[in-house]
Amino acid sequence: MRAWEHYEHTADIGVRGYGSTLEEAFEAVALGLFDVMVNVRKVEPRECREVEVEEEDLEALLYSFLEELLVLHDTEGLVFGEVKVKIEKTKNGYRLKATACGEVLSEKHEPKEEVKAITYHDMRIEKLPDGRWLVQFVPDL
């Protein structure tokens, strides 16, 4: 069960992702990030990109993962509406491999905000008492 929501945060907007696994929560927060920019429900999976990042801890992994997706948006004009993530523990931390599918941004996606950067601001990654995972952060708009 993967879901995301936006939450009020002073002058910006926060993005929260939930999942029954850590991978699902990362997928959800990635979709929530793109839903800040466009209506992700209108994004068709016409093109896919592979992303792989490796970091010492989960917060750095989340930052690098979302940064890679934002770089693809900035350099190729892509917005993503489907994301599949696999995370594995390594001897030095964590490795994430993801496939993100979407298409080039157009008016049909109902453009909203421009995300300038990923930040560590208000970043949280935790397992909730009900067993679900919560992943959140505040992007720089």
Side-chain angles (χ1 to χ4, degrees), residues 6 31-43 73 79-80 105-106 108-113:
H6 299 146
L31 292 173
L33 167 64
F34 279 90
D35 199 57
V36 168
M37 298 185 262
V38 300
N39 181 346
V40 294
R41 288 170 179 83
K42 296 198 173 197
V43 178
H73 170 70
V79 290
F80 300 106
L105 175 65
S106 73
K108 89 170 193 181
H109 303 121
E110 300 170 1
K112 303 176 196 172
E113 298 288 335

